[in-house]
Amino acid sequence: MDKYKLIAIDMDDTLLNNRLEITERSLQAVRRVREKGIHVTLSTGRMFCSAYPYAMQLGIDLPLITYQGALVKNALSGEVLAHKTIPLELARQVVADVQKCGYHINVYTDDKLYVEKVTPVGLDYARICGVDLNPVGDLVAFLQQPPTKIVVISTESQIDDLKGIMEPIYRDRLHVCKSKPTFLEFSHPKATKGYALAKLAELFNVQQHEVMAIGDSDNDVEMLEYAGMAVVMANARDHIKTLADYITDSNEEDGVAKVLEKLVLAD
């Protein structure tokens, strides 16, 4: 009997190499795991529409954890299992607070990306994610419905400073975390990869010790803490590695494929 029955894999800097590709070795490893009847899903901060092409490449036919847990949606049927949005007035307050700093802001509604204006930062983000950029002018005025997520992009030091300011203000009302050193994300308090992964385990009648999570960053913390087997990439920062039950090679060295081959496929 397989030790693990549900495996959640982060995308950027984990499954994807630095060219944003799934290597053939990783592709085959995931497919072989799925052939054993083990549930495999993607767990990412990306938009659903950005994660979807990779899910199709892997043949994943179950719910994807996207927007770091704010939207859990089936890759094939399109069924939404969970969608936890930011309350509208709170979202407007966050945007207004960040606007004072002059940093780039992404707002996500209906699986679309909205920005105040087209900037090199926004264009680069849209290119990496493979999505369209929709400039709408003042984001506070634009927001007429609760957004799925808000992301602020700036330098690492500015993001660290902003997190230090914003987290105490919004700690009890929003989940505030860094998904990359230069990204600060605001979402519903229960919009975490860990919360979403626990719900998927419940859906598939999988025990916590039968869950494996593979990640590298701050927005993977809750999922790594939840999983019975927490796998962290070699390219992760040291404070994330302290959460690991197992450290695999980097995303440039087929780390995901190697841990699947060793811990899941070896038997």
Side-chain angles (χ1 to χ4, degrees):
M1 183 177 292
D2 292 312
K3 184 175 182 180
Y4 304 108
K5 295 182 179 179
L6 173 61
I7 301 174
I9 309 173
D10 173 54
M11 288 178 58
D12 293 281
D13 302 313
T14 297
L15 178 63
L16 305 184
N17 63 22
N18 292 345
R19 294 168 298 288
L20 306 178
E21 302 165 338
I22 304 174
T23 67
E24 185 62 26
R25 182 173 179 179
S26 292
L27 195 65
Q28 292 305 321
V30 171
R31 285 178 174 170
R32 287 170 59 203
V33 169
R34 292 185 62 248
E35 286 168 0
K36 287 169 65 72
I38 298 169
H39 299 296
V40 179
T41 193
L42 299 176
S43 184
T44 178
R46 286 185 180 230
M47 305 163 68
F48 178 84
C49 63
S50 179
Y52 178 82
Y54 293 100
M56 291 302 94
Q57 187 179 359
L58 293 164
I60 292 174
D61 56 357
L62 45 77
L64 306 180
I65 297 170
T66 62
Y67 293 95
Q68 75 186 36
L71 178 63
V72 182
K73 182 175 177 179
N74 191 285
L76 286 186
S77 71
E79 178 188 4
V80 175
L81 277 74
H83 187 199
K84 299 188 179 300
T85 57
I86 302 174
L88 180 57
E89 289 308 314
L90 201 52
R92 287 175 171 162
Q93 184 180 337
V94 169
V95 171
D97 285 348
V98 176
Q99 281 178 336
K100 298 171 186 174
C101 302
Y103 302 154
H104 177 91
I105 305 171
N106 288 346
V107 170
Y108 306 82
T109 303
D110 294 330
D111 209 28
K112 293 183 175 63
L113 168 60
Y114 297 97
V115 295
E116 181 181 6
K117 59 186 178 182
V118 176
T119 64
V121 171
L123 288 170
D124 190 50
Y125 179 94
R127 176 190 59 79
I128 289 170
C129 294
V131 299
D132 294 328
L133 197 64
N134 297 284
V136 295
D138 180 41
L139 288 169
V140 175
F142 165 75
L143 279 169
Q144 298 296 319
Q145 65 184 81
T148 305
K149 189 172 73 167
I150 298 168
V151 175
V152 183
I153 305 175
S154 190
T155 65
E156 183 171 359
S157 62
Q158 288 174 330
I159 288 297
D160 285 339
D161 289 345
L162 183 64
K163 184 173 186 286
I165 295 168
M166 301 290 272
E167 194 168 34
I169 296 172
Y170 293 100
R171 176 182 290 126
D172 298 329
R173 296 175 289 168
L174 292 174
H175 183 247
V176 183
C177 80
K178 292 168 64 176
S179 57
K180 284 179 172 286
T182 56
F183 291 6
L184 186 62
E185 310 211 356
F186 298 82
S187 56
H188 186 282
K190 291 185 177 178
T192 71
K193 293 183 180 184
Y195 189 86
L197 184 55
K199 289 300 181 183
L200 282 190
E202 183 180 344
L203 176 68
F204 293 119
N205 196 28
V206 173
Q207 301 301 307
Q208 189 171 352
H209 69 271
E210 298 172 317
V211 177
M212 175 186 288
I214 311 175
D216 76 289
S217 192
D218 289 82
N219 69 337
D220 296 314
V221 166
E222 289 86 358
M223 139 173 121
L224 293 169
E225 289 177 337
Y226 169 78
M229 171 55 69
V231 178
V232 174
M233 309 299 291
N235 49 284
R237 297 203 169 181
D238 288 343
H239 68 284
I240 303 298
K241 289 178 181 176
T242 63
L243 303 174
D245 297 308
Y246 184 92
I247 296 176
T248 189
D249 285 345
S250 76
N251 66 314
E252 280 289 278
E253 301 169 304
D254 282 314
V256 168
K258 289 176 181 176
V259 72
L260 293 179
E261 290 163 359
K262 182 170 183 177
L263 300 186
V264 183
L265 296 170
D267 58 351

